[in-house]
Amino acid sequence: MFVHIYLSTYADSEDSVGIATFEMEYGHWLEEQNRHICDMRTALNAHISDVELRIRVESDMSHYFELFRLKATAAKADVFYVMSGLWKSSAERFFLWIGGFRPSELLKVMN
C-alpha cells in the first residue's frame, strides 16, 4: 500500500510538472502567435511577392505544428487536462461549446 501511495504521488507530481510546463509554453506560444498575426497583416498590406508570402505561411504552419507538439506532450502527462480545455481562454471555450464540441463525446468515440 505504501508503494502504491508513493508511486501515485510521484506520478501526480510528474503530471503537474508536465501541465505547468505546458501552460508556460502555451503562454509563450500565444505571444508568438500574436506576433505572427501582426507580421502577416503587415505583409498582406505591403503586397509582398508570392515567394515571400509562401515563406511566411510556412513559418506560421510550423508555429502551429509546435502547438500540436506541445499538446501531445501535455496529453501524455494528463490527457483529461488537455481535452477539458481549461488552458484555453473563456472565449475559446465558449465557441467550442457553441460549436457543439463536448470532451465527453471523445469517450463515446473511444468505446
Side-chain angles (χ1 to χ4, degrees):
M1 181 169 160
F2 174 73
V3 172
H4 175 69
I5 292 170
Y6 173 76
L7 289 176
S8 64
T9 303
Y10 180 72
D12 290 343
S13 67
E14 281 186 10
D15 291 350
S16 62
V17 168
I19 296 306
T21 302
F22 170 76
E23 288 179 347
M24 184 177 66
E25 289 182 2
Y26 182 68
H28 293 305
W29 186 89
L30 283 175
E31 291 171 6
E32 186 72 15
Q33 177 64 11
N34 288 333
R35 190 184 66 75
H36 278 265
I37 290 171
C38 289
D39 288 347
M40 185 61 80
R41 284 186 181 143
T42 302
L44 291 173
N45 289 334
H47 304 291
I48 63 173
S49 70
D50 287 347
V51 174
E52 292 175 14
L53 184 60
R54 179 182 206 100
I55 291 169
R56 289 181 190 250
V57 168
E58 288 175 0
S59 172
D60 289 347
M61 293 299 294
S62 67
H63 184 64
Y64 271 94
F65 291 140
E66 177 65 16
L67 175 63
F68 299 139
R69 186 195 63 76
L70 291 173
K71 285 182 181 180
T73 303
K76 289 176 185 173
D78 187 354
V79 69
F80 295 111
Y81 174 81
V82 175
M83 294 311 302
S84 71
L86 292 176
W87 47 275
K88 294 182 179 184
S89 70
S90 57
E92 289 173 303
R93 288 193 305 269
F94 172 75
F95 286 119
L96 286 173
W97 181 78
I98 290 293
F101 175 75
R102 307 289 185 276
S104 60
E105 293 295 319
L106 293 173
L107 296 175
K108 294 177 185 175
V109 171
M110 293 174 63
N111 285 331

